[in-house]
Amino acid sequence: MDTNTLTEELRALMPDSYTWKFGLYSTSKSSDGLEMEWSLCNMKNTIEHIDAIREQLLKKSVAEKPVIAYSPFQSGKENIYALDRNDELIKGQLADVLLSIKNGHSYQPIDFSVGVVRKPVGYAFYGELANQDGNGSSGNVLFMRRGNPFLSGALLCVGQDDGIEESSAPLLKFPASVDFLLIGGICYIFSSAIERDFSFENRHLAIARKKLESIVTEELVGNYDSFEKEVMKSKNAKKFLNFDDDILKHISRLSIVDRIEFLAPYGVEIDRNGKMDTIDPMQCEYIIDLLCRRSCIDPLGRLSVGNNITRRE
């Protein structure tokens, strides 16, 4: 997952070797975050659009930005973020998107402008190798961009003999850029705007909930309710993408005396039962940072940074 890999995949992509579908999606709120609703449209010259996007990415976006592993703590527009398509954070949502595009209902562009289909918030070009058999192959390619491609209020177009005339059909515009790209089995995120549609925040919470169960199983926290409250805060749930089960197991194996000695440099205190004290929210923060490799020790005390933890084995 580096810039060279992405560059090689894009250069090797031959759009005319794929069968393509063009889809538009709208979103609605649900208990799981945002639900995407896909609608398909027939499109001419799809290969030309894909070629334009590919060339633009190679000339500008990929050339100017390094590719780094995805992290919810990285921000800004200076990087392209990457994660494997089977990563727990995106695997389920991506499978739903691909299936929805493959099986979505087809509509005419006019249906969107007259309200038959809800206003789209984004669109995608999805390609499968022409000789591909089955689901989930790394041969899938998906270009996604957030934004309604329909030009609002556009009533003029170039007609016959280069004359200007009114158009009764909606006009669309496709910038040669993307917010999300699946290619070579790797998901590349060019803009954090797309994370919302993939419900990343809800996935952070789901992953944190799963890891919380492991912590409870080891019976290492004193007050579960107060600890759960802190874990399920969005800012803390993100940290559980880097949860280190080895740290949890190591603490569990220690005697109470050794546990006190091991945890003291990280600001974590032990209650009268030998469990990590979770009454104080700050103590919960310390524990979360420790278990999720967000702690380090320096001469000035404990700082929350993204370095690897120093621990005993």
Side-chain angles (χ1 to χ4, degrees):
M1 292 193 296
D2 55 28
T3 304
N4 290 335
T5 300
L6 176 55
T7 300
E8 292 170 1
E9 291 287 351
L10 283 169
R11 285 177 176 166
L13 177 65
M14 294 185 293
D16 55 359
S17 298
Y18 288 76
T19 57
W20 294 95
K21 288 191 175 183
F22 171 67
L24 300 112
Y25 68 92
S26 56
T27 59
S28 58
K29 291 184 178 180
S30 73
S31 57
D32 295 323
L34 285 180
E35 292 285 344
M36 283 195 235
E37 300 168 10
W38 285 90
S39 306
L40 303 184
C41 280
N42 292 327
M43 174 177 285
K44 297 179 181 179
N45 304 322
T46 302
I47 291 178
E48 286 82 352
H49 286 294
I50 300 302
D51 266 331
I53 294 173
R54 185 173 66 93
E55 290 301 316
Q56 181 69 8
L57 290 175
L58 286 170
K59 288 179 180 178
K60 186 176 180 181
S61 299
V62 176
E64 295 178 353
K65 299 179 181 181
V67 175
I68 64 173
Y70 171 79
S71 169
F73 301 103
Q74 300 279 357
S75 61
K77 300 180 179 180
E78 66 277 7
N79 299 310
I80 300 169
Y81 303 111
L83 66 164
D84 190 275
R85 67 179 293 163
N86 292 316
D87 189 285
E88 186 179 7
L89 183 62
I90 201 169
K91 180 180 179 180
Q93 297 92 313
L94 180 61
D96 288 344
V97 167
L98 298 183
L99 186 62
S100 296
I101 295 176
K102 289 180 67 173
N103 300 327
H105 294 290
S106 295
Y107 294 89
Q108 296 299 319
I110 192 65
D111 293 334
F112 293 89
S113 63
V114 299
V116 174
V117 184
R118 290 201 305 145
K119 179 181 178 181
V121 299
Y123 59 90
F125 295 96
Y126 170 66
E128 282 188 345
L129 284 171
N131 59 355
Q132 179 173 294
D133 182 23
N135 247 338
S137 167
S138 60
N140 301 136
V141 177
L142 179 68
F143 295 88
M144 282 182 64
R145 181 177 173 85
R146 202 169 207 281
N148 184 358
F150 290 100
L151 297 176
S152 60
L155 298 177
L156 299 177
C157 67
V158 177
Q160 294 181 346
D161 301 323
D162 294 330
I164 302 298
E165 61 183 20
E166 289 190 358
S167 171
S168 60
L171 303 179
L172 294 89
K173 180 180 181 181
F174 302 102
S177 61
V178 296
D179 294 322
F180 178 92
L181 168 63
L182 167 68
I183 189 170
I186 304 297
C187 301
Y188 296 95
I189 299 172
F190 293 79
S191 168
S192 59
I194 204 71
E195 295 180 17
R196 183 169 178 264
D197 293 339
F198 278 99
S199 298
F200 270 25
E201 181 174 334
N202 282 65
R203 288 304 303 155
H204 296 153
L205 294 171
I207 291 170
R209 173 72 66 186
K210 184 176 180 179
K211 302 302 182 183
L212 180 60
E213 293 174 1
S214 299
I215 298 171
V216 173
T217 299
E218 295 294 338
E219 298 183 348
L220 288 178
V221 297
N223 189 300
Y224 171 78
D225 290 339
S226 59
F227 187 62
E228 178 187 34
K229 180 179 179 181
E230 296 302 315
V231 167
M232 299 311 291
K233 289 182 177 179
S234 178
K235 66 169 185 173
N236 287 328
K238 296 177 181 179
K239 300 175 183 178
F240 281 82
L241 296 181
N242 296 319
F243 180 81
D244 193 332
D245 190 65
D246 288 341
I247 299 175
L248 180 67
K249 296 294 185 183
H250 179 68
I251 297 172
S252 179
R253 291 194 299 263
L254 295 175
S255 66
I256 294 179
V257 173
D258 289 340
R259 190 176 296 170
I260 292 172
E261 180 184 356
F262 174 76
L263 294 175
Y266 304 103
V268 178
E269 299 176 357
I270 296 295
D271 63 20
R272 63 179 66 185
N273 297 315
K275 299 181 179 182
M276 292 185 286
D277 192 348
T278 52
I279 293 295
D280 185 349
M282 185 57 68
Q283 283 291 305
C284 294
E285 294 268 1
Y286 291 168
I287 296 168
I288 293 168
D289 283 355
L290 172 60
L291 296 176
C292 299
R293 293 187 286 117
R294 297 286 298 175
S295 298
C296 75
I297 301 170
D298 72 0
L300 298 178
R302 179 187 174 284
L303 299 177
S304 291
V305 297
N307 294 343
N308 288 335
I309 187 173
T310 301
R311 67 180 188 273
R312 304 176 188 177
E313 296 294 347

